[in-house]
Amino acid sequence: SSRLPLVLNTWSFKNATEAAWQTLASGGSAVDAVENGCAVCETEQCDGSVGFGGNPDELGETTLDAMIMDGTAMDVGAVGDLRRIKNAIGVARKILEHTTHSLLVGESATKFAESMGFTSEDLSTNTSKALHSNWLAQNCQPNYWRKVIPDPSKYCGPYKPPDVLKQGTSAYKEVDIHGHD
Amino acid sequence: TIGMVVIDKLRHTAAGTSTNGLKFKIPGRVGDSPIPGSGAYADDMAGAAAATGDGDILLRFLPSYQAVEYMRKGDDPTIACQKVISRMKKYFPEFFGAVICANVTGSYGAACNKLPTFTQFSFMVYNSLQNQPTTEKVDCI
């Protein structure tokens, strides 16, 4: 226990670690530290995989997922497919603090965030727009579809299921390690 | 994605994640990050863990919950993380993923699944034995 307190986080996101540590040092709780640490990554767009302006979906929109868990109370707040709100971990904290639910998603989560005082704004940037344009120019490759027509390994959608289902398509497709959850 | 685990001096645990998910995902897709027990998990009675990688695979195994359960049974955090990775690897040898684990005494560890393009995993540590955040690396298994 002499090694406590401890802050541990995935990847080399140093400023997030520092922010969490400083939160503890200034008297904040472990939950406060997680919130502030993750929030720094959202602001800094850590390696493009956190926060606004990164990893757009097929339609070019950046959406955010976040979760925070209090291991003392076993309480959780989480948000999935959050649209137009930059501070996803902040919204997750509000769900933890102000509801008895655990997970809110999509457009309704955005409405909840707005009611909690978060600003709604476009999450796309020139970078995310360029990523999306390049993907479209490359016939929407790679993508996550299978067993649909037109052939998703060659063409963009819209896709639909075929009349006869082909067997043998792998259920797993290796992902780009630079775009991670 | 960032996954974070914090344990304070009083052994209070917390964990969290934040991500914008996979590039060019099908709209509406959500990965492991917002799923308790998958993206992260914390329990003051044992420890905390967080996962990162391909959320479509990770969320099927609740790796963070499983790692905390291994630590509850007495496994060292590194062993707990490795066991979780090994379990997923049995089903998906080529999956992309890593897990960080910490127990309530302040011991910590990490593990990742070795791929041709992913042989080491970097993570950050800051504890009372250090005066600054430190990057540590583990060799994937």
Side-chain angles (χ1 to χ4, degrees):
Chain A
S1 296
S2 62
R3 289 167 289 195
L4 297 175
L6 168 69
V7 175
L8 198 62
N9 63 264
T10 57
W11 309 108
S12 299
F13 302 148
K14 183 180 178 182
N15 291 343
T17 323
E18 180 76 43
W21 183 264
Q22 290 306 326
T23 300
L24 291 175
S26 59
S29 68
V31 173
D32 294 332
V34 169
E35 181 185 1
N36 291 341
C38 290
V40 164
C41 253
E42 291 174 348
T43 303
E44 295 186 348
Q45 302 167 284
C46 286
D47 87 357
S49 71
V50 186
F52 68 100
N55 293 352
D57 66 17
E58 287 191 338
L59 300 176
E61 181 177 4
T62 297
T63 59
L64 304 180
D65 307 328
M67 188 252 293
I68 191 163
M69 179 166 188
D70 176 348
T72 304
M74 300 306 283
D75 202 357
V76 169
V79 65
D81 195 23
L82 180 67
R83 310 178 72 187
R84 302 188 304 281
I85 305 288
K86 285 185 174 176
N87 183 203
I89 192 72
V91 178
R93 179 71 186 270
K94 294 293 186 194
I95 293 168
L96 184 152
E97 296 287 351
H98 299 294
T99 81
T100 56
H101 294 317
S102 296
L103 171 62
L104 299 182
V105 302
E107 197 64 36
S108 298
T110 303
K111 287 182 181 170
F112 169 83
E114 288 171 332
S115 75
M116 290 287 113
F118 292 86
T119 303
S120 179
E121 54 194 316
D122 186 5
L123 300 190
S124 65
T125 61
N126 289 339
T127 301
S128 67
K129 288 174 184 171
L131 275 171
H132 186 244
S133 296
N134 290 339
W135 179 75
L136 290 175
Q138 292 165 13
N139 292 325
C140 307
Q141 304 302 314
N143 61 63
Y144 297 95
W145 292 87
R146 60 174 170 148
K147 299 179 185 176
V148 290
I149 51 173
D151 182 350
S153 69
K154 294 177 181 165
Y155 306 106
C156 293
Y159 305 107
K160 62 179 183 179
D163 293 333
V164 180
L165 200 58
K166 281 186 182 175
Q167 299 299 316
T169 309
S170 172
Y172 180 67
K173 190 175 282 184
E174 199 171 318
V175 301
D176 172 9
I177 66 164
H178 301 294
H180 49 77
D181 290 292
Chain B
T1 304
I2 182 171
M4 179 174 277
V5 162
V6 173
I7 305 178
D8 71 15
K9 279 183 181 174
L10 300 175
R11 296 185 173 206
H12 291 145
T13 62
T17 59
S18 183
T19 187
N20 50 34
L22 296 182
K23 242 180 274 182
F24 316 125
K25 66 186 87 64
I26 297 169
R29 178 266 187 190
V30 168
D32 65 310
S33 299
I35 310 299
S38 192
Y41 196 70
D43 182 345
D44 285 5
M45 302 301 287
T52 185
D54 179 354
D56 291 310
I57 299 300
L58 291 167
L59 62 71
R60 301 174 194 179
F61 294 90
L62 297 177
S64 298
Y65 170 80
Q66 188 62 52
V68 170
E69 290 309 302
Y70 283 135
M71 290 188 285
R72 191 193 309 278
K73 289 180 180 173
D75 280 340
D76 171 83
T78 300
I79 299 296
C81 278
Q82 288 175 344
K83 281 185 173 179
V84 163
I85 291 294
S86 295
R87 179 176 291 195
M88 293 186 280
K89 193 183 183 83
K90 279 182 191 168
Y91 296 87
F92 297 98
E94 306 300 317
F95 92 99
F96 166 46
V99 185
I100 56 172
C101 302
N103 67 23
V104 287
T105 69
S107 293
Y108 60 86
C112 48
N113 187 36
K114 189 174 182 180
L115 298 172
T117 54
F118 185 56
T119 57
Q120 279 194 324
F121 172 61
S122 299
F123 61 102
M124 297 299 308
V125 183
Y126 203 161
N127 64 19
S128 59
L129 303 179
Q130 298 161 333
N131 56 11
Q132 62 180 358
T134 306
T135 302
E136 294 196 16
K137 290 181 180 178
V138 288
D139 292 325
C140 296
I141 57 175

